[in-house]
Amino acid sequence: MHDSHPRSNDSQNPPEILLSIYVHGQRQPIFDDRLGKEVHEIKVRDRFVIGRQDVAKGEPGPFRTISFTDRRKLIITSYHQREVSRQLLEIAPDRGGAYLRVGNVGNHEVPVSPATEGRIAHKQVKTFVTQNLTQQPIRLMVGSNIALQLSTSRSNPEAEFNEPPQGMLSQSVADVTRMLSQTRASEGAPTPDSPSSDDVQRILSAVSAVLEKAANSPDFYSSAAENVCKLGNFDSCSYLGLDQMANQWQCEVTWPAPHQEAEETPRFDSKALDFIWNNRQTWSTPTSLEEHTDDHRVVVTPVLSRDSVVGALYASKKRQPISDQMLVDCEVKFVEVIRDCLAVGLERLRKEREVAKQQICLAQFFPPGIADRILNDPALLETREENISVLFCDIRGFSAISAELGALQTMKWLREVLGELSECVIRNDGVLLEYVGDELVAMWGAPDEQRNHADLACQAAVQMVGKLEALNESWADRIPAEMLPFGLTIGINTGDCVVGRKGTDFKYMWGPLGPTVNIASRVQGATKQFSPKPIDDDTPAKFTPPTILITEATRVALMYELPSRYLGSIRAINIPKPVRVHEIAANPSSNWPQLQSLYEAAYQQFTQQNFLEALNTLDLITREKEFHFDGPTKCLRDRALTLLQNPRQVASDHPVWMLDRK
């Protein structure tokens, strides 16, 4: 089928947006103050405010509009329904009408149907493409029984929101039992207002037999076909799947199964299949013999999944000379009852797959316990302020090694290294936030409260360093020897931070935002500045930078003491206040306490501007072979020597070290 209008016209002239109200699933008339009459839908051309009646301003009752110079208001509840705000939603199309923005200005989040659209949180604005509303209108659930539907003038007027499959099934069972009651009443039964217990038992047994099967099991459709035959006394029933790509029906199962020696395959009425595909309604053979020449009576009903036809139940029986219309209708309803069982099973399978997919996605970032809690309580991901610890980890020597390995090997190396580092985060109940090139970012303290989040972050950092020896060994045959061993630089900071969804409606992610994160990133970058580079080729010495740097805030938050030394105060680019940093010893030797004591003594002398004494103390460190190429010692020695030779260079904020790069 070809569209009579070119596609370009659709984009240049987007359809009009229509707003309607549903109460208990029924469309509610709206009094349009501009037209002076009731309508079924309002054309959204201006900014609309949706909310409850404001008696103080003399507003009228529900389901009426009020026009102002800059907006219109649609009143959806009376003043006493306080769970709905006086101003709940703001709805406004853009100038061209191609997009529709819905902002939540109320106090509660607003669920959106279909569920794939998620929810609109407090103070969040969600953007919808107008053309998309033509294929799938959306509903905003603004109360326990009130929904606003946004559709377009090109939407199919019959494309209403289907009841949940469970609701359809319950209604179908109720309908068929009622029809059986009426049938018995026509036969003179003494209790026409209620079905017999045998009828109810027979229907519920058939429903249970189908529902107990998993939708992905091989006998799911076979059970459905069998129970159609048993309920309606049909001779046979087939389930036909619809190949959406090829637009063809394929018989997947028939009950009872045809004999293997039978050469003829089941024949299906193509007109009936076309009817249910186009109309999404059940088709059945007319009861009058004159209206149909075939000797079989057929009932065909479409199986829907998320408003799309995915298959059909095709039931057949030999025609009788006389057919009572009430009994015929019951037969049709029998097939529809089992059809609804299939819909319930397919919906259950879809949700199980969605949950499994969410579990896989969440498990990649959150520890298993937190991932399970988020699935059960999505509110954990809402934006709020938390006290957290943030870790930034970078691979030292990445640029040079990646240039040597090439793109494919670099990706393999990076995947292996980041995989090992990520395991340390998850093992210590941390949240993986993102990978940026060779950098890993993680956090602790949210979404689940962790009193010891600083300890967990530091433990993860120490374990990361512990992975290096094995990683260097496994890549020793592919990375040039002069580039080994590669190392890590890690920065950790602790503090209050806003945590939640960040980004836009087009792309968003969950994580922290604020100075706490920025400082952690700068501290990680500062590790490299504690390692001065060789001046020339004659002094090829490589000084070792501190692998793990933590801020004073993190050190204070630690519940258990770790081997560390205070390196001093630094001022990073774009960070206004100085940051006190400490080095954590990942693999402390027996001489570590000596290094810590001498370095901190030298730094104290440096702070007091006793530069010569500081140099003498630092010389005691370099006499130890183990610490001869200690990066922080070399940096402090260079600073002390420069200021000893040039006292005028002592800054007013001495001894803060101003870093020259991020």
Side-chain angles (χ1 to χ4, degrees):
M1 180 181 293
H2 298 284
D3 192 347
S4 60
H5 299 284
R7 293 184 180 273
S8 58
N9 289 348
D10 286 346
S11 59
Q12 293 174 3
N13 301 302
E16 286 190 305
I17 301 169
L18 305 177
L19 171 63
S20 51
I21 300 178
Y22 285 78
V23 179
H24 293 295
Q26 301 297 319
R27 187 155 62 172
Q28 175 69 41
I30 305 169
F31 186 86
D32 189 326
D33 68 309
R34 289 184 177 177
L35 299 178
K37 65 178 182 179
E38 285 190 342
V39 295
H40 286 296
E41 59 233 347
I42 300 288
K43 294 180 180 179
V44 182
R45 297 170 177 169
D46 312 296
R47 181 167 70 97
F48 262 90
V49 176
I50 313 295
R52 78 166 189 263
Q53 177 189 22
D54 190 341
V55 178
K57 295 183 178 179
E59 292 181 352
F63 314 125
R64 300 177 69 95
T65 64
I66 309 173
S67 296
F68 301 92
T69 55
D70 60 338
R71 69 191 185 283
R72 301 183 73 189
K73 181 174 181 179
L74 173 59
I75 301 169
I76 57 173
T77 65
S78 59
Y79 71 93
H80 63 270
Q81 281 192 257
R82 298 303 178 92
E83 68 271 15
V84 177
S85 304
R86 284 190 293 267
Q87 292 190 4
L88 175 64
L89 294 171
E90 283 194 5
I91 300 176
D94 68 343
R95 290 186 177 180
Y99 299 96
L100 179 69
R101 293 177 175 84
V102 180
N104 184 351
V105 294
N107 299 321
H108 305 285
E109 67 178 8
V110 176
V112 182
S113 181
T116 51
E117 296 291 347
R119 296 169 176 263
I120 306 179
H122 173 55
K123 293 187 178 180
Q124 182 188 9
V125 177
K126 198 173 185 67
T127 302
F128 298 96
V129 179
T130 303
Q131 289 287 357
N132 293 346
L133 299 180
T134 300
Q135 287 77 35
Q136 176 61 68
I138 63 167
R139 283 192 180 177
L140 309 170
M141 316 308 291
V142 297
S144 59
N145 61 343
I146 302 176
L148 301 178
Q149 178 166 305
L150 294 169
S151 57
T152 72
S153 54
R154 296 177 188 165
S155 298
N156 180 0
E158 297 182 357
E160 303 292 348
F161 282 69
N162 293 325
E163 281 189 82
Q166 293 88 342
M168 293 190 301
L169 177 57
S170 299
Q171 186 61 48
S172 294
V173 172
D175 289 345
V176 74
T177 53
R178 175 180 50 79
M179 293 168 68
L180 287 171
S181 299
Q182 294 172 351
T183 301
R184 296 194 183 282
S186 66
E187 297 172 351
T191 56
D193 292 335
S194 61
S196 71
S197 59
D198 290 340
D199 289 335
V200 175
Q201 181 64 35
R202 190 160 59 97
I203 296 168
L204 294 181
S205 295
V207 169
S208 299
V210 178
L211 290 180
E212 71 180 6
K213 306 292 183 183
N216 57 353
S217 67
D219 53 352
F220 178 58
Y221 297 112
S222 177
S223 175
E226 178 183 357
N227 282 281
V228 165
C229 293
K230 290 180 177 180
L231 271 181
N233 295 318
F234 286 94
D235 297 330
S236 69
C237 180
S238 299
Y239 175 77
L240 283 67
L242 179 61
D243 186 338
Q244 300 281 358
M245 299 297 293
N247 194 22
Q248 291 181 345
W249 296 95
Q250 180 69 36
C251 180
E252 298 188 8
V253 66
T254 296
W255 195 93
H259 296 293
Q260 294 182 352
E261 59 270 14
E263 296 182 0
E264 292 187 9
T265 58
R267 292 164 49 187
F268 304 104
D269 189 331
S270 59
K271 292 183 178 179
L273 292 172
D274 287 343
F275 176 86
I276 68 166
W277 186 74
N278 290 318
N279 298 278
R280 302 185 184 187
Q281 296 177 2
T282 301
W283 183 92
S284 63
T285 304
T287 57
S288 173
L289 288 174
E290 289 76 16
E291 297 179 25
H292 206 273
T293 59
D294 196 354
D295 62 346
H296 278 75
R297 167 168 161 69
V298 172
V299 178
V300 190
T301 187
V303 178
L304 303 179
S305 178
R306 306 204 71 183
D307 207 34
S308 297
V309 178
V310 296
L313 281 175
Y314 193 105
S316 174
K317 66 190 308 183
K318 289 185 178 180
R319 291 171 59 93
Q320 302 296 326
I322 300 176
S323 294
D324 181 81
Q325 184 61 46
M326 184 69 71
L327 291 175
V328 169
D329 291 342
C330 282
E331 291 174 353
V332 172
K333 186 55 69 174
F334 283 141
V335 182
E336 291 181 341
V337 165
I338 302 302
R339 182 271 315 273
D340 292 342
C341 289
L342 293 181
V344 170
L346 292 173
E347 179 67 12
R348 183 172 59 197
L349 177 63
R350 184 188 67 81
K351 289 183 177 179
E352 288 173 354
R353 287 174 174 171
E354 277 189 1
V355 170
K357 184 177 179 181
Q358 291 175 354
Q359 286 176 329
I360 292 173
C361 293
L362 290 173
Q364 290 179 330
F365 300 96
F366 298 97
I370 297 180
D372 292 339
R373 286 193 59 198
I374 292 172
L375 283 173
N376 296 323
D377 184 13
L380 283 172
L381 298 182
E382 291 181 358
T383 302
R384 59 184 183 273
E385 188 171 348
E386 298 283 1
N387 187 264
I388 63 170
S389 292
V390 185
L391 178 149
F392 280 75
C393 177
D394 197 77
I395 301 176
R396 183 158 49 89
F398 173 78
S399 298
I401 294 175
S402 61
E404 188 68 27
L405 288 178
L408 292 178
Q409 282 290 88
T410 296
M411 290 299 294
K412 185 177 180 181
W413 172 58
L414 195 59
R415 191 180 301 114
E416 183 176 334
V417 174
L418 291 179
E420 292 290 329
L421 302 182
S422 300
E423 183 184 348
C424 298
V425 173
I426 297 298
R427 186 187 301 154
N428 286 278
D429 299 329
V431 176
L432 284 169
L433 295 176
E434 59 181 326
Y435 303 111
V436 183
D438 63 319
E439 185 176 65
L440 176 151
V441 188
M443 66 170 284
W444 287 258
D448 215 11
E449 183 180 356
Q450 296 166 307
R451 294 183 58 192
N452 61 334
H453 56 77
D455 296 82
L456 293 171
C458 292
Q459 289 171 18
V462 170
Q463 291 176 15
M464 288 177 178
V465 177
K467 298 273 190 178
L468 284 174
E469 183 176 356
L471 287 169
N472 274 283
E473 287 181 3
S474 66
W475 281 85
D477 59 337
R478 287 162 285 183
I479 297 177
E482 63 273 13
M483 295 182 178
L484 293 175
F486 61 84
L488 302 174
T489 54
I490 301 173
I492 302 174
N493 183 39
T494 299
D496 294 335
C497 197
V498 174
V499 181
R501 286 171 41 139
K502 56 183 180 178
T504 68
D505 288 338
F506 297 99
K507 183 175 179 61
Y508 69 86
M509 59 187 298
W510 182 90
L513 190 66
T516 298
V517 182
N518 299 337
I519 292 174
S521 176
R522 296 295 188 271
V523 168
Q524 181 274 321
T527 58
K528 304 168 187 176
Q529 301 205 46
F530 279 99
S531 177
K533 295 182 179 180
I535 300 175
D536 50 47
D537 294 338
D538 296 332
T539 58
K542 292 184 178 180
F543 291 94
T544 306
T547 301
I548 305 173
L549 279 187
I550 67 172
T551 63
E552 178 76 9
T554 300
R555 190 194 68 82
V556 171
L558 289 173
M559 302 178 71
Y560 298 96
E561 188 174 353
L562 294 172
S564 64
R565 61 170 164 167
Y566 173 56
L567 295 186
S569 294
I570 61 173
R571 176 169 285 149
I573 293 178
N574 297 330
I575 303 297
K577 294 183 179 180
V579 179
R580 292 165 60 89
V581 295
H582 301 256
E583 177 190 7
I584 290 181
N587 299 302
S589 66
S590 58
N591 293 328
W592 172 264
Q594 180 186 2
L595 171 64
Q596 174 194 1
S597 176
L598 289 174
Y599 182 90
E600 291 181 351
Y603 190 83
Q604 181 65 22
Q605 294 163 349
F606 177 80
T607 300
Q608 297 169 354
Q609 301 186 26
N610 296 326
F611 303 123
L612 183 58
E613 294 179 15
L615 288 169
N616 291 333
T617 304
L618 293 170
D619 285 341
L620 296 176
I621 296 177
T622 56
R623 290 176 186 176
E624 290 288 337
K625 184 178 181 181
E626 181 182 350
F627 306 127
H628 191 70
F629 295 110
D630 179 59
T633 298
K634 173 62 175 173
C635 284
L636 185 59
R637 190 181 189 284
D638 289 348
R639 292 176 65 196
L641 183 59
T642 298
L643 296 179
L644 178 65
Q645 296 172 346
N646 304 280
R648 293 183 178 180
Q649 292 186 15
V650 177
S652 58
D653 60 351
H654 178 81
V656 176
W657 184 17
M658 180 64 192
L659 304 183
D660 57 3
R661 61 182 185 275
K662 293 183 180 179

